[in-house]
Amino acid sequence: MTKQIVTGIIGAGRIGKLHVQNIRRIPHMKIKAVSDIQASRIKSWADSHQIEYITSDFRDLLHDPDIDAVFICSPTAAHAQMIREAAEAKKHIFCEKPVSFSLDETKEALAAVRKHGVALQVGFNRRFDPHFKKIKTIVENGEIGTPHLLKITSRDPEPPNIDYVRTSGGLFMDMSIHDFDMARYIMGSEVTEVYAKGAALVNPSFAELGDIDTAVITLTFENGAMAVIDNSRQAVYGYDQRIEVFGTKGSAAADNSRPTTVEVSTADFVMKDKPHFFFLERYKDSYEEEILRFTEAIDTNRETACTGNDGFQAERIARAAQQSHAIGMPVSIEHTEKIVF
């Protein structure tokens, strides 16, 4: 690493605070400032993390010549504008998913990134999970032959509150989008067709907001392979995260991560730990790794490990899933659009 990377954090909610904790453990990174629309409420927290400056205006970070990169951890509705302005200010950008709720806004934001020559990494942290990375390597190395089927199970331990659902963008854009990115990542092929079915089976109130909490999605890839994704907002036993790839020479699977691998067997039962309860525990390592990869891209002037185009393509799949669910039919995706950096 040639120099220390000075960062600013935009948005001090749960994910923003997580990134602060992880960045502070990286010797070649420094957090100078945090912005949050309720800056006064985070003062004691910021002081406890030795953060020099807090502000309610994210533009203060963009105007600071000492800051090299910003982490955009604000609500999704503000992402595209913040990306555009950060790019114009020549700041490197790490942005949580999705880039926006509008494909046109996403394209405009990515055009600004390309124009001003800054790095952008989208926060699909599951790419950096060691279990899923090994699955990716196995597929790339041809160890299971040509992949034909991909199965992804992704279920949260408990549903979000109604206020969150109102602004989340819906299950496909908020939750399933991680699985759409993982499908592209694992299979190394673009999705050409999406068929989604869903319902509000956990909390009927979600339906009143036009959302769902349970879904099954099938994907077809350019190379002819297929994927099945199942999502639920409530798995009472914990955070259920599994992947299996089946190919011409075999299969590879990643099971749930658990606090320990101990299994107790008696005449009465066989017992092992339940899966980790939530994403902060399950993906702890991946959140740290994605930041390290972001700093490497800045330092070496190379493409980030999860590009703006990756974010754009995952959004396109999510939008197609929304359309498919609405009309009850498969929706095709034409791959004439690709964002090149």
Side-chain angles (χ1 to χ4, degrees):
M1 190 61 59
T2 58
K3 57 166 283 189
Q4 186 179 58
I5 297 173
V6 180
T7 62
I9 309 295
I10 302 175
R14 180 170 58 187
I15 196 67
K17 289 178 178 176
L18 175 68
H19 286 316
V20 166
Q21 293 173 6
N22 289 333
I23 290 170
R24 291 187 69 235
R25 287 195 286 267
I26 299 174
H28 55 270
M29 296 190 76
K30 173 186 176 183
I31 303 169
K32 180 177 181 181
V34 173
S35 74
D36 191 273
I37 56 173
Q38 299 182 49
S40 59
R41 73 175 173 85
I42 64 168
K43 187 177 186 309
S44 61
W45 167 81
D47 290 343
S48 70
H49 288 81
Q50 293 81 52
I51 295 169
E52 296 178 24
Y53 181 64
I54 59 172
T55 176
S56 59
D57 188 348
F58 76 92
R59 293 181 177 90
D60 291 337
L61 278 59
L62 305 185
H63 297 155
D64 188 330
D66 292 337
I67 291 178
D68 304 301
V70 292
F71 281 64
I72 299 176
C73 309
S74 60
T76 299
H79 286 182
Q81 177 185 347
M82 290 177 174
I83 289 173
R84 290 196 304 269
E85 294 192 31
E88 291 167 2
K90 299 291 187 179
K91 307 299 184 187
H92 299 297
I93 306 159
F94 182 102
C95 182
E96 283 300 327
K97 62 80 196 169
V99 174
S100 81
F101 294 139
S102 162
L103 292 175
D104 288 339
E105 287 188 5
T106 295
K107 286 191 285 187
E108 290 174 4
L110 300 185
V113 169
R114 188 168 60 251
K115 176 181 178 181
H116 295 285
V118 297
L120 168 66
Q121 183 166 314
V122 180
F124 284 120
N125 64 291
R126 295 181 192 180
R127 287 178 173 232
F128 306 94
D129 173 76
H131 310 284
F132 297 163
K133 282 172 66 178
K134 185 168 183 178
I135 294 287
K136 169 69 171 177
T137 300
I138 288 169
V139 171
E140 282 188 329
N141 290 345
E143 295 177 48
I144 60 166
T146 302
H148 286 172
L149 292 171
L150 169 67
K151 294 181 180 180
I152 299 177
T153 292
S154 181
R155 305 168 185 162
D156 287 348
E158 58 187 22
N161 62 52
I162 290 295
D163 288 338
Y164 178 85
V165 172
R166 284 193 178 95
T167 59
S168 69
L171 180 138
F172 297 122
M173 190 66 72
D174 171 56
M175 180 181 177
S176 309
I177 196 167
H178 275 292
D179 306 310
F180 300 149
D181 179 70
M182 184 55 54
R184 292 182 63 250
Y185 171 70
I186 294 291
M187 299 299 272
S189 182
E190 297 293 357
V191 172
T192 58
E193 184 182 270
V194 183
Y195 188 20
K197 292 184 69 67
L201 302 179
V202 176
N203 187 343
S205 297
F206 286 15
E208 297 172 12
L209 300 175
D211 201 4
I212 58 176
D213 53 38
T214 308
V216 175
I217 308 146
T218 60
L219 308 177
T220 303
F221 297 88
E222 277 185 322
N223 61 13
M226 293 169 282
V228 178
I229 299 168
D230 76 82
N231 294 136
S232 174
R233 288 290 198 182
Q234 186 176 53
V236 296
Y237 49 86
Y239 196 40
D240 193 353
Q241 301 282 292
R242 290 171 282 146
I243 288 180
E244 180 192 17
V245 188
F246 172 79
T248 55
K249 294 181 180 179
S251 67
D255 201 351
N256 279 311
S257 177
R258 305 172 191 275
T260 76
T261 60
V262 174
E263 184 173 298
V264 179
S265 301
T266 72
D268 299 316
F269 59 80
V270 175
M271 183 178 67
K272 57 184 176 181
D273 290 349
K274 292 190 294 185
H276 286 295
F277 183 71
F278 210 30
F279 70 93
L280 296 180
E281 303 163 271
R282 170 64 179 83
Y283 290 116
K284 179 181 180 296
D285 292 341
S286 71
Y287 280 113
E288 296 177 4
E289 180 67 16
E290 69 177 353
I291 293 175
L292 289 172
R293 295 292 298 277
F294 178 55
T295 64
E296 289 174 6
I298 293 173
D299 191 53
T300 60
N301 197 31
R302 294 178 181 172
E303 184 176 79
T304 58
C306 190
T307 68
N309 181 63
D310 292 321
F312 178 66
Q313 299 301 338
E315 285 178 43
R316 294 183 75 203
I317 301 168
R319 185 66 66 201
Q322 290 173 334
Q323 294 170 353
S324 174
H325 175 247
I327 66 175
M329 296 176 61
V331 171
S332 296
I333 301 176
E334 298 294 331
H335 279 281
T336 56
E337 289 187 283
K338 181 178 180 180
I339 309 297
V340 180
F341 291 89

